[in-house]
Amino acid sequence: QKEVEQNSGPLSVPEGAIASLNCTYSDRGSQSFFWYRQYSGKSPELIMFIYSNGDKEDGRFTAQLNKASQYVSLLIRDSQPSDSATYLCAGLDRGSTLGRLYFGRGTQLTVWP
Amino acid sequence: DAGVTQSPTHLIKTRGQQVTLRCSPKSGHDTVSWYQQALGQGPQFIFQYYEEEERQRGNFPDRFSGHQFPNYSSELNVNALWLGDSALYLCASSLAGVEDTQYFGPGTRLTVL
């Protein structure tokens, strides 16, 4: 059973601060990881994906992957109240040529003005 | 560019009934995956369709079945509904062999009374 562990939070940061979201995963064979943002009552929206060790930056978001430690993180710089949502970390279980996602329970982030 | 669409948005059923949910993948995508998200949990993989066949299946009973049509759209059927089936049902589309990223539709909120 492949698992992703996330701190459910809630994580609360002031506007303009850096929010740091973390997850660990159980399957050392997983190569690809995804961060989704989910607003209350809505569906998950892809923020970033990362395949390689190290950092990947996209605007205010930076994803980090450390395969040796089986650790994935998402940093949100200059946090805005509109970033308040649940952030889901997911790994890709590639059983064959097709992959399926396995998710953590999500971390609830609140950015207060 | 049309994104993933799902219908209906909301559905209320009673125990023992049957339900059919529908999904159209993002333009250019050929693979549809279905996920169930209970309140406060991360999405759980139900099954995946590619080339009109079920390719992978998660830990869900046979009451859950599906279909994929030649135009890549898909249906999820659930028989003998029980209270525990109440959840947000998510459809995600991707392009097999090219892109691992899965994009989610808006979801169908199923309530079983």
Side-chain angles (χ1 to χ4, degrees):
Chain A
Q1 178 91 3
K2 295 177 173 63
E3 294 182 344
V4 169
E5 295 288 337
Q6 289 185 260
N7 186 333
S8 61
L11 175 65
S12 181
V13 301
E15 184 173 357
I18 296 175
S20 178
L21 305 159
N22 309 305
C23 75
T24 58
Y25 59 93
S26 63
D27 176 41
R28 189 170 289 278
S30 291
Q31 299 293 314
S32 306
F33 297 90
F34 303 83
W35 283 98
Y36 289 87
R37 176 175 63 196
Q38 187 172 28
Y39 292 113
S40 181
K42 302 296 185 182
S43 66
E45 172 193 11
L46 180 71
I47 296 176
M48 292 190 70
F49 59 86
I50 186 166
Y51 302 152
S52 303
N53 265 334
D55 296 357
K56 179 181 178 182
E57 187 173 320
D58 184 1
R60 296 187 297 113
F61 299 95
T62 299
Q64 299 173 319
L65 174 60
N66 184 325
K67 292 184 179 180
S69 301
Q70 296 178 236
Y71 176 88
V72 190
S73 67
L74 179 70
L75 299 177
I76 307 175
R77 290 181 300 281
D78 188 23
S79 296
Q80 301 297 310
S82 59
D83 294 326
S84 299
T86 296
Y87 289 79
L88 297 165
C89 175
L92 186 74
D93 178 6
R94 185 181 294 285
S96 57
T97 58
L98 303 174
R100 61 184 185 180
L101 296 171
Y102 59 102
F103 286 85
R105 295 181 63 174
T107 297
Q108 185 179 342
L109 171 67
T110 299
V111 181
W112 45 275
Chain B
D1 183 17
V4 183
T5 60
Q6 290 187 245
S7 63
T9 305
H10 295 89
L11 207 49
I12 299 175
K13 293 286 188 178
T14 57
R15 282 174 291 176
Q17 286 190 310
Q18 177 264 345
V19 68
T20 297
L21 311 180
R22 295 178 176 82
C23 169
S24 290
K26 180 177 169 149
S27 178
H29 283 184
D30 58 8
T31 303
V32 173
S33 302
W34 286 93
Y35 295 82
Q36 180 197 65
Q37 186 177 25
L39 202 60
Q41 304 292 321
Q44 297 293 314
F45 175 77
I46 303 175
F47 45 51
Q48 182 179 71
Y49 279 85
Y50 171 65
E51 292 186 330
E52 302 179 49
E53 292 187 9
E54 183 182 295
R55 299 292 180 162
Q56 298 191 72
R57 189 178 183 92
N59 188 25
F60 280 80
D62 292 344
R63 298 187 297 110
F64 289 77
S65 62
H67 190 78
Q68 185 179 36
F69 300 93
N71 67 353
Y72 308 119
S73 67
S74 177
E75 287 182 350
L76 163 65
N77 301 290
V78 187
N79 294 321
L81 287 166
W82 68 295
L83 298 179
D85 294 329
S86 295
L88 179 66
Y89 288 85
L90 297 162
C91 165
S93 77
S94 55
L95 183 59
V98 175
E99 184 180 7
D100 289 331
T101 305
Q102 297 187 14
Y103 296 89
F104 286 89
T108 295
R109 172 73 63 186
L110 173 64
T111 302
V112 182
L113 302 176

